[in-house]
C-alpha cells in the first residue's frame, strides 16, 4: 500500500450534503452534473453530433447520467474504465390520481417502488419531490423539503397482536400517507399545490414523477461518531463516490491509460429494464458514439470493449450484530473495514477470480483495505447492475460496494470511513 488516500473525512461530510440534496434520482443526477461542470465537464445532447476532442462530457437522461473523460491522445480503440452505480432507492411514489382520503383526512395515493422495509416509512415526517412535466414540453424539478406527509401506524391498543405476531402491513390499505384534513377531496389538489410550490402557473403541469422521502437530515452517530445514518445510501453513496473519483482523475494531471466513465442508472431496484436502466441501450450507445466521434470503426469499438472493465459499485451487507447467523460464517464484512468485493458463483454478482485480482490491485495502489462478501448458502442472494452490464455489453465486470446496515430502510447506516475509502479505490481503478 504505497499511496496516501486522496479523500478523507471531508468526503463523508460532502456525502451528507449530497444525500440531503438528492431526494430523487432526478435531483441526484442534477447534483452529479453540477459537480462535474465545476470540474470542467460539459453536457452533450444525444440529438446533437458529437466530436472526439479531449475533455470531460456527460449525458443526462431522466434519472440517469453517463459521464466520461477523453484523455489527450486517446486512440479510437482506447478501452474504458467504468464505475457503474444506480440512482434510485425503494420508496413510496405518487400514483397518477393522487388525491384521496377518508374520514376527514386528506391523503395521497402512493404505490410501492422496489422493495422497501415498509415499517421504516411509518410515523416519519415525509417530504415530496420529483419531476414535473409541463404543457410546453419542458420539465421542472420540485422539492417540498419539509414535513408534509406522514403514514401513521395503528396504536397498539387497537392491535394487541402486533407484540406477539409482528407487524403486518397491507400495501394498499396501510401505507397511504395523510397530508391534511377535509372531506372535500378534489382531483388536482396535490398538483395545484406543487405548482404553487414550484412557482408555476396553474394548470401548467400535465405529468409528474413524484416520490416521498424522509426529511430527517443525515447525521453522524455514536460515541465517537464512527457511524453515519442517512437516507438513500443504497445507492447514492456510490454515485457520489463515482462522481468525485471521475472529477479527481480528470483533474489529476497524469493522463490515464483508459477513458474513465461514470454510469449511474435509474430503476435498478425494479429490474433495470427501462431506457434509463442498466438493461437498456444507454451505456452501450454512449460508449460506441465516443469511439466513432474519435474516428473509430466497428473494429475499434470491438477492441475498446474487449479491453474495458466495469466496477459495479452498490452497497452490500455488513454483518449485523443481532443477526450474525444470517451471514456466511467465514465472511463477515464490517463497517469501516473498506469496500467489499461481492462474489456469487451463480452470477448474481459478476465477480470472478480475475476481477478480484484487478480490484485487489486497485485497492493496493490506493492504500485501501477491502473485504469479501458472499451469501449464506441457505439465504437467497441479491443482485446488481453488474451481471446485466457484463451480459448486455460483453464487458468484464466486478461487483463491489460499501458495507451498510438497514439496507432498503428509509434511513440506512454505514461507517464514516467507508465512503472515502471507496472513493479512493475508485480513483485508483479509473486511473488504471
Amino acid at each position: 500500500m504505497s499511496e496516501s488516500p486522496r479523500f478523507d473525512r471531508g468526503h463523508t461530510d460532502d456525502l451528507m450534503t449530497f444525500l440531503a440534496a438528492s431526494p430523487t434520482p432526478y435531483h441526484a443526477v442534477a447534483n452529479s452534473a453540477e459537480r462535474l461542470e465545476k470540474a470542467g465537464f460539459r453536457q452533450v445532447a444525444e440529438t446533437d453530433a458529437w466530436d472526439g476532442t479531449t475533455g470531460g462530457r456527460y449525458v443526462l437522461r431522466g434519472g440517469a447520467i453517463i459521464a466520461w473523460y477523453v484523455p489527450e491522445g486517446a486512440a479510437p480503440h482506447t478501452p474504458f474504465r467504468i464505475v457503474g452505480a444506480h440512482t434510485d432507492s425503494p420508496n413510496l411514489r405518487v400514483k397518477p390520481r393522487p388525491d384521496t382520503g377518508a374520514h376527514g383526512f386528506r391523503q395521497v395515493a402512493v404505490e410501492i417502488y422496489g422493495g422497501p422495509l415498509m415499517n421504516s416509512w411509518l410515523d416519519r415526517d415525509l417530504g415530496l419531490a420529483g419531476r414535473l412535466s409541463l404543457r410546453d414540453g419542458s420539465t421542472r424539478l420540485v422539492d417540498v423539503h419539509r414535513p408534509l406527509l406522514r403514514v401513521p401506524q395503528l396504536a397498539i391498543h387497537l392491535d394487541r397482536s402486533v407484540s406477539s405476531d409482528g407487524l403486518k402491513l397491507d400495501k394498499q390499505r396501510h401505507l397511504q400517507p395523510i397530508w391534511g384534513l377535509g372531506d372535500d377531496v378534489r382531483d388536482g389538489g396535490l398538483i395545484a399545490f406543487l405548482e404553487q410550490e414550484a412557482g408555476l402557473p396553474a394548470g401548467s403541469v400535465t405529468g409528474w414523477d413524484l416520490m416521498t422521502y424522509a426529511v430527517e437530515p443525515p447525521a453522524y452517530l455514536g460515541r465517537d461518531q464512527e457511524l453515519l445514518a442517512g437516507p438513500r445510501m443504497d445507492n447514492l453513496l456510490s454515485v457520489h463516490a463515482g462522481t468525485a473519483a471521475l472529477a479527481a482523475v480528470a483533474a489529476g494531471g497524469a493522463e490515464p491509460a483508459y477513458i474513465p466513465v461514470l454510469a449511474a442508472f435509474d430503476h435498478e431496484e425494479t429490474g433495470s429494464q427501462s431506457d434509463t436502466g442498466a438493461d437498456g441501450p444507454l451505456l452501450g450507445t454512449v460508449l460506441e458514439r465516443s469511439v466513432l466521434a474519435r474516428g473509430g470503426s466497428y473494429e475499434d469499438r470491438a477492441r475498446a470493449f474487449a479491453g474495458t472493465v466495469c466496477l459495479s459499485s452498490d452497497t452490500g451487507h455488513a454483518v449485523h450484530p443481532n443477526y450474525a447467523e444470517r451471514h456466511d460464517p467465514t465472511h463477515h464484512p464490517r463497517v469501516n473495514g473498506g469496500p467489499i468485493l461481492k462474489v456469487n458463483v451463480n452470477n448474481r454478482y459478476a465477480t470472478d477470480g480475475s476481477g478480484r485480482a484487478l480490484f485487489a490491485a486497485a485497492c493496493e495502489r490506493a492504500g485501501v483495505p477491502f473485504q469479501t462478501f458472499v451469501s449464506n448458502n441457505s439465504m437467497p442472494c441479491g443482485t446488481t447492475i453488474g451481471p446485466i452490464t457484463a451480459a448486455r455489453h460483453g464487458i468484464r465486470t466486478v461487483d463491489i460496494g460499501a458495507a451498510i446496515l438497514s439496507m432498503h430502510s428509509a434511513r440506512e447506516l454505514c461507517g464514516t470511513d467507508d465512503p472515502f475509502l471507496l472513493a479512493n479505490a475508485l480513483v485508483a481503478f479509473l486511473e488504471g
Side-chain angles (χ1 to χ4, degrees):
M1 296 185 180
S2 57
E3 290 192 17
S4 298
R6 297 168 185 250
F7 298 108
D8 55 19
R9 178 69 172 263
H11 175 88
T12 306
D13 294 337
D14 189 62
L15 169 63
M16 296 169 71
T17 300
F18 186 83
L19 292 173
S22 304
T24 75
Y26 314 111
H27 290 81
V29 298
N31 288 323
S32 179
E34 181 180 6
R35 289 159 184 256
L36 291 171
E37 288 272 358
K38 292 178 179 177
F41 285 68
R42 60 181 176 88
Q43 184 176 0
V44 293
E46 293 182 79
T47 54
D48 291 345
W50 293 3
D51 63 59
T53 55
T54 301
R57 296 167 179 78
Y58 67 90
V59 166
L60 287 180
R61 184 193 289 184
I65 182 170
I66 311 291
W68 67 102
Y69 177 76
V70 179
E72 186 73 39
H77 61 268
T78 299
F80 300 92
R81 281 286 175 100
I82 305 167
V83 171
H86 68 88
T87 61
D88 60 320
S89 301
N91 57 17
L92 309 179
R93 301 202 172 187
V94 175
K95 288 184 175 180
R97 294 188 63 183
D99 298 291
T100 186
H103 305 290
F105 287 101
R106 295 183 187 274
Q107 294 175 276
V108 175
V110 296
E111 191 172 3
I112 313 301
Y113 179 84
L117 286 171
M118 292 188 295
N119 63 293
S120 71
W121 289 86
L122 303 178
D123 296 327
R124 284 192 185 274
D125 296 336
L126 304 177
L128 188 65
R131 179 180 64 176
L132 301 174
S133 297
L134 309 186
R135 192 176 300 278
D136 63 5
S138 64
T139 60
R140 179 77 64 87
L141 296 185
V142 64
D143 180 9
V144 185
H145 185 67
R146 64 177 185 271
L148 180 68
L149 308 103
R150 189 178 181 92
V151 183
Q153 188 172 185
L154 184 66
I156 192 171
H157 313 80
L158 303 179
D159 184 14
R160 297 287 183 180
S161 65
V162 71
S163 297
S164 57
D165 299 337
L167 179 65
K168 298 178 181 179
L169 294 172
D170 182 285
K171 294 179 180 180
Q172 178 63 38
R173 292 185 295 124
H174 298 153
L175 291 171
Q176 308 306 312
I178 61 174
W179 74 303
L181 301 176
D183 292 308
D184 183 16
V185 180
R186 299 179 182 178
D187 281 347
L190 179 68
I191 301 306
F193 165 76
L194 292 174
E195 286 174 336
Q196 292 180 337
E197 288 288 314
L200 295 169
S204 59
V205 174
T206 55
W208 50 88
D209 302 280
L210 300 166
M211 54 205 76
T212 64
Y213 69 96
V215 297
E216 185 181 2
Y220 288 114
L221 185 146
R223 184 193 66 182
D224 299 316
Q225 296 192 329
E226 298 166 298
L227 300 167
L228 172 63
R232 300 176 295 281
M233 292 183 188
D234 179 12
N235 184 33
L236 294 189
L237 190 158
S238 293
V239 174
H240 176 260
T243 301
L246 179 59
V249 170
E255 294 293 350
Y258 301 86
I259 295 176
V261 179
L262 168 67
F265 301 100
D266 202 352
H267 303 131
E268 188 273 347
E269 298 293 355
T270 56
S272 296
Q273 292 184 325
S274 71
D275 70 318
T276 53
D279 203 18
L282 182 59
L283 175 62
T285 299
V286 169
L287 298 184
E288 185 170 355
R289 289 186 68 178
S290 175
V291 170
L292 297 177
R294 285 176 279 120
S297 62
Y298 180 82
E299 182 72 10
D300 292 314
R301 181 245 188 229
R303 292 174 65 189
F305 276 45
T308 292
V309 183
C310 175
L311 282 190
S312 166
S313 182
D314 201 349
T315 53
H317 302 294
V319 61
H320 197 301
N322 299 337
Y323 301 91
E325 73 281 358
R326 300 296 183 99
H327 298 262
D328 182 84
T330 59
H331 296 79
H332 281 175
R334 297 190 175 192
V335 296
N336 286 337
I340 56 176
L341 183 75
K342 302 182 191 179
V343 179
N344 180 265
V345 295
N346 295 301
N347 290 324
R348 300 292 286 173
Y349 303 128
T351 307
D352 62 10
S354 64
R356 185 188 192 282
L358 186 148
F359 183 62
C363 288
E364 184 174 1
R365 289 195 302 272
V368 169
F370 75 94
Q371 312 174 81
T372 304
F373 172 84
V374 64
S375 289
N376 185 309
N377 287 339
S378 299
M379 303 289 293
C381 180
T383 190
T384 68
I385 66 167
I388 293 171
T389 303
R392 182 169 183 82
H393 305 293
I395 290 173
R396 184 158 60 125
T397 304
V398 186
D399 273 296
I400 66 159
I404 69 170
L405 295 178
S406 304
M407 188 183 293
H408 285 200
S409 172
R411 195 166 177 84
E412 297 162 325
L413 189 69
C414 76
T416 55
D417 295 345
D418 285 327
F420 66 79
L421 292 175
L422 174 63
N424 291 328
L426 295 184
V427 168
F429 165 73
L430 290 176
E431 288 180 334

